PDB file of all heavy atoms in Angstrom:
ATOM      1  N   TYR A 234     -49.042  16.794   6.965  1.00 98.00           N
ATOM      2  CA  TYR A 234     -50.433  17.107   6.990  1.00 98.00           C
ATOM      3  C   TYR A 234     -50.949  16.676   5.578  1.00 98.00           C
ATOM      4  O   TYR A 234     -50.222  16.798   4.612  1.00 98.00           O
ATOM      5  CB  TYR A 234     -50.630  18.629   7.115  1.00 98.00           C
ATOM      6  CG  TYR A 234     -50.643  19.172   8.464  1.00 98.00           C
ATOM      7  CD1 TYR A 234     -49.997  20.363   8.755  1.00 98.00           C
ATOM      8  CD2 TYR A 234     -51.388  18.558   9.519  1.00 98.00           C
ATOM      9  CE1 TYR A 234     -50.031  20.938  10.018  1.00 98.00           C
ATOM     10  CE2 TYR A 234     -51.434  19.181  10.792  1.00 98.00           C
ATOM     11  CZ  TYR A 234     -50.754  20.323  11.038  1.00 98.00           C
ATOM     12  OH  TYR A 234     -50.796  20.905  12.263  1.00 98.00           O
ATOM     13  N   ILE A 277     -56.549  21.040   9.976  1.00 98.00           N
ATOM     14  CA  ILE A 277     -55.064  20.948  10.157  1.00 98.00           C
ATOM     15  C   ILE A 277     -54.445  22.244  10.645  1.00 98.00           C
ATOM     16  O   ILE A 277     -53.268  22.222  11.004  1.00 98.00           O
ATOM     17  CB  ILE A 277     -54.362  20.444   8.906  1.00 98.00           C
ATOM     18  CG1 ILE A 277     -54.545  21.367   7.737  1.00 98.00           C
ATOM     19  CG2 ILE A 277     -54.763  18.997   8.549  1.00 98.00           C
ATOM     20  CD1 ILE A 277     -53.685  21.086   6.521  1.00 98.00           C
ATOM     21  N   ASN A 278     -55.113  23.383  10.574  1.00 98.00           N
ATOM     22  CA  ASN A 278     -54.539  24.657  10.878  1.00 98.00           C
ATOM     23  C   ASN A 278     -53.452  25.038   9.849  1.00 98.00           C
ATOM     24  O   ASN A 278     -53.750  25.458   8.755  1.00 98.00           O
ATOM     25  CB  ASN A 278     -53.987  24.700  12.349  1.00 98.00           C
ATOM     26  CG  ASN A 278     -54.066  26.092  12.907  1.00 98.00           C
ATOM     27  OD1 ASN A 278     -55.175  26.661  13.040  1.00 98.00           O
ATOM     28  ND2 ASN A 278     -52.947  26.740  13.195  1.00 98.00           N
ATOM     29  N   ALA A 279     -52.183  24.846  10.203  1.00 98.00           N
ATOM     30  CA  ALA A 279     -51.003  24.860   9.215  1.00 98.00           C
ATOM     31  C   ALA A 279     -50.897  26.103   8.394  1.00 98.00           C
ATOM     32  O   ALA A 279     -50.266  26.071   7.329  1.00 98.00           O
ATOM     33  CB  ALA A 279     -51.181  23.631   8.348  1.00 98.00           C
ATOM     34  N   GLU A 280     -51.481  27.213   8.806  1.00 97.00           N
ATOM     35  CA  GLU A 280     -51.391  28.448   8.006  1.00 97.00           C
ATOM     36  C   GLU A 280     -51.863  28.273   6.593  1.00 97.00           C
ATOM     37  O   GLU A 280     -51.263  28.779   5.669  1.00 97.00           O
ATOM     38  CB  GLU A 280     -49.946  29.028   8.073  1.00 97.00           C
ATOM     39  CG  GLU A 280     -49.576  29.668   9.400  1.00 97.00           C
ATOM     40  CD  GLU A 280     -49.331  28.629  10.464  1.00 97.00           C
ATOM     41  OE1 GLU A 280     -48.316  27.880  10.316  1.00 97.00           O
ATOM     42  OE2 GLU A 280     -50.125  28.515  11.400  1.00 97.00           O
ATOM     43  N   ASN A 338     -56.466  18.473  15.224  1.00 97.00           N
ATOM     44  CA  ASN A 338     -55.228  19.205  15.378  1.00 97.00           C
ATOM     45  C   ASN A 338     -55.425  20.299  16.440  1.00 97.00           C
ATOM     46  O   ASN A 338     -56.300  21.161  16.327  1.00 97.00           O
ATOM     47  CB  ASN A 338     -54.871  19.929  14.076  1.00 97.00           C
ATOM     48  CG  ASN A 338     -53.482  20.521  14.135  1.00 97.00           C
ATOM     49  OD1 ASN A 338     -52.505  19.831  13.928  1.00 97.00           O
ATOM     50  ND2 ASN A 338     -53.398  21.824  14.424  1.00 97.00           N
ATOM     51  N   GLU A 339     -54.621  20.240  17.503  1.00 95.00           N
ATOM     52  CA  GLU A 339     -54.670  21.212  18.593  1.00 95.00           C
ATOM     53  C   GLU A 339     -56.121  21.537  18.907  1.00 95.00           C
ATOM     54  O   GLU A 339     -56.493  22.731  18.951  1.00 95.00           O
ATOM     55  CB  GLU A 339     -53.837  22.390  18.208  1.00 95.00           C
ATOM     56  CG  GLU A 339     -52.407  22.073  18.034  1.00 95.00           C
ATOM     57  CD  GLU A 339     -51.416  23.245  18.116  1.00 95.00           C
ATOM     58  OE1 GLU A 339     -51.880  24.404  17.778  1.00 95.00           O
ATOM     59  OE2 GLU A 339     -50.279  23.042  18.523  1.00 95.00           O
ATOM     60  N   TYR A 401     -43.744  25.586  20.840  1.00 93.00           N
ATOM     61  CA  TYR A 401     -43.104  26.588  19.978  1.00 93.00           C
ATOM     62  C   TYR A 401     -42.464  27.704  20.875  1.00 93.00           C
ATOM     63  O   TYR A 401     -42.903  28.786  20.926  1.00 93.00           O
ATOM     64  CB  TYR A 401     -44.011  27.251  19.039  1.00 93.00           C
ATOM     65  CG  TYR A 401     -44.525  26.320  17.924  1.00 93.00           C
ATOM     66  CD1 TYR A 401     -45.600  25.507  18.120  1.00 93.00           C
ATOM     67  CD2 TYR A 401     -43.913  26.318  16.728  1.00 93.00           C
ATOM     68  CE1 TYR A 401     -46.037  24.660  17.088  1.00 93.00           C
ATOM     69  CE2 TYR A 401     -44.310  25.484  15.711  1.00 93.00           C
ATOM     70  CZ  TYR A 401     -45.424  24.646  15.938  1.00 93.00           C
ATOM     71  OH  TYR A 401     -45.814  23.811  14.877  1.00 93.00           O
ATOM     72  N   GLU A 435     -45.280  18.394  17.300  1.00 98.00           N
ATOM     73  CA  GLU A 435     -44.751  19.616  16.642  1.00 98.00           C
ATOM     74  C   GLU A 435     -43.868  20.325  17.588  1.00 98.00           C
ATOM     75  O   GLU A 435     -44.300  20.722  18.660  1.00 98.00           O
ATOM     76  CB  GLU A 435     -45.900  20.563  16.312  1.00 98.00           C
ATOM     77  CG  GLU A 435     -46.802  20.125  15.168  1.00 98.00           C
ATOM     78  CD  GLU A 435     -47.945  21.140  14.902  1.00 98.00           C
ATOM     79  OE1 GLU A 435     -47.767  22.352  15.129  1.00 98.00           O
ATOM     80  OE2 GLU A 435     -49.005  20.663  14.445  1.00 98.00           O
ATOM     81  N   PHE A 441     -43.552  30.863  11.423  1.00 96.00           N
ATOM     82  CA  PHE A 441     -44.066  31.446  10.138  1.00 96.00           C
ATOM     83  C   PHE A 441     -44.008  33.006  10.243  1.00 96.00           C
ATOM     84  O   PHE A 441     -43.897  33.558  11.341  1.00 96.00           O
ATOM     85  CB  PHE A 441     -45.481  31.006   9.909  1.00 96.00           C
ATOM     86  CG  PHE A 441     -46.495  31.449  10.953  1.00 96.00           C
ATOM     87  CD1 PHE A 441     -47.006  32.734  10.929  1.00 96.00           C
ATOM     88  CD2 PHE A 441     -46.948  30.542  11.883  1.00 96.00           C
ATOM     89  CE1 PHE A 441     -48.009  33.079  11.819  1.00 96.00           C
ATOM     90  CE2 PHE A 441     -47.918  30.914  12.812  1.00 96.00           C
ATOM     91  CZ  PHE A 441     -48.410  32.233  12.824  1.00 96.00           C
ATOM     92  N   TYR A 484     -41.340  20.980  13.339  1.00 98.00           N
ATOM     93  CA  TYR A 484     -42.240  21.709  12.425  1.00 98.00           C
ATOM     94  C   TYR A 484     -41.660  23.106  12.162  1.00 98.00           C
ATOM     95  O   TYR A 484     -41.523  23.869  13.171  1.00 98.00           O
ATOM     96  CB  TYR A 484     -43.573  21.839  13.098  1.00 98.00           C
ATOM     97  CG  TYR A 484     -44.661  22.390  12.225  1.00 98.00           C
ATOM     98  CD1 TYR A 484     -45.730  21.624  11.732  1.00 98.00           C
ATOM     99  CD2 TYR A 484     -44.724  23.783  11.923  1.00 98.00           C
ATOM    100  CE1 TYR A 484     -46.710  22.153  10.913  1.00 98.00           C
ATOM    101  CE2 TYR A 484     -45.712  24.299  11.095  1.00 98.00           C
ATOM    102  CZ  TYR A 484     -46.730  23.476  10.622  1.00 98.00           C
ATOM    103  OH  TYR A 484     -47.676  23.977   9.819  1.00 98.00           O
ATOM    104  N   TYR A 504     -43.484  29.858   2.674  1.00 98.00           N
ATOM    105  CA  TYR A 504     -43.632  29.211   3.964  1.00 98.00           C
ATOM    106  C   TYR A 504     -42.288  28.590   4.295  1.00 98.00           C
ATOM    107  O   TYR A 504     -42.197  27.476   4.800  1.00 98.00           O
ATOM    108  CB  TYR A 504     -44.743  28.149   3.884  1.00 98.00           C
ATOM    109  CG  TYR A 504     -45.250  27.722   5.247  1.00 98.00           C
ATOM    110  CD1 TYR A 504     -46.027  28.599   6.032  1.00 98.00           C
ATOM    111  CD2 TYR A 504     -45.108  26.436   5.697  1.00 98.00           C
ATOM    112  CE1 TYR A 504     -46.552  28.212   7.258  1.00 98.00           C
ATOM    113  CE2 TYR A 504     -45.688  26.007   6.915  1.00 98.00           C
ATOM    114  CZ  TYR A 504     -46.394  26.964   7.662  1.00 98.00           C
ATOM    115  OH  TYR A 504     -46.930  26.547   8.906  1.00 98.00           O
ATOM    116  N   TYR A 506     -40.229  29.275   6.651  1.00 98.00           N
ATOM    117  CA  TYR A 506     -40.335  28.942   8.071  1.00 98.00           C
ATOM    118  C   TYR A 506     -39.002  29.125   8.784  1.00 98.00           C
ATOM    119  O   TYR A 506     -38.886  28.780   9.989  1.00 98.00           O
ATOM    120  CB  TYR A 506     -40.913  27.543   8.284  1.00 98.00           C
ATOM    121  CG  TYR A 506     -41.886  27.400   9.404  1.00 98.00           C
ATOM    122  CD1 TYR A 506     -43.198  27.766   9.271  1.00 98.00           C
ATOM    123  CD2 TYR A 506     -41.471  26.931  10.616  1.00 98.00           C
ATOM    124  CE1 TYR A 506     -44.086  27.651  10.358  1.00 98.00           C
ATOM    125  CE2 TYR A 506     -42.333  26.852  11.727  1.00 98.00           C
ATOM    126  CZ  TYR A 506     -43.662  27.199  11.560  1.00 98.00           C
ATOM    127  OH  TYR A 506     -44.502  27.114  12.605  1.00 98.00           O
TER     128      TYR A 506
HETATM  129  C1  IPT B 133     -49.665  24.910  15.480  1.00 68.31           C
HETATM  130  C2  IPT B 133     -50.479  24.132  14.468  1.00 68.31           C
HETATM  131  O1  IPT B 133     -50.764  22.868  14.933  1.00 68.31           O
HETATM  132  C3  IPT B 133     -49.814  24.059  13.122  1.00 68.31           C
HETATM  133  O2  IPT B 133     -50.750  23.623  12.161  1.00 68.31           O
HETATM  134  C4  IPT B 133     -49.239  25.331  12.731  1.00 68.31           C
HETATM  135  O3  IPT B 133     -50.252  26.246  12.568  1.00 68.31           O
HETATM  136  C5  IPT B 133     -48.267  25.780  13.792  1.00 68.31           C
HETATM  137  O4  IPT B 133     -48.902  25.912  15.016  1.00 68.31           O
HETATM  138  C6  IPT B 133     -47.706  27.177  13.562  1.00 68.31           C
HETATM  139  O5  IPT B 133     -47.034  27.217  12.379  1.00 68.31           O
HETATM  140  S1  IPT B 133     -50.706  25.872  16.500  1.00 68.31           S
HETATM  141  C7  IPT B 133     -49.755  26.471  17.904  1.00 68.31           C
HETATM  142  C8  IPT B 133     -48.687  27.344  17.615  1.00 68.31           C
HETATM  143  C9  IPT B 133     -50.765  27.142  18.823  1.00 68.31           C
END
Side-chain angles (χ1 to χ4, degrees):
Y234 276 136
I277 62 170
N278 210 63
E280 287 74 67
N338 191 82
E339 296 199 332
Y401 289 87
E435 288 178 30
F441 65 80
Y484 188 106
Y504 199 66
Y506 219 82

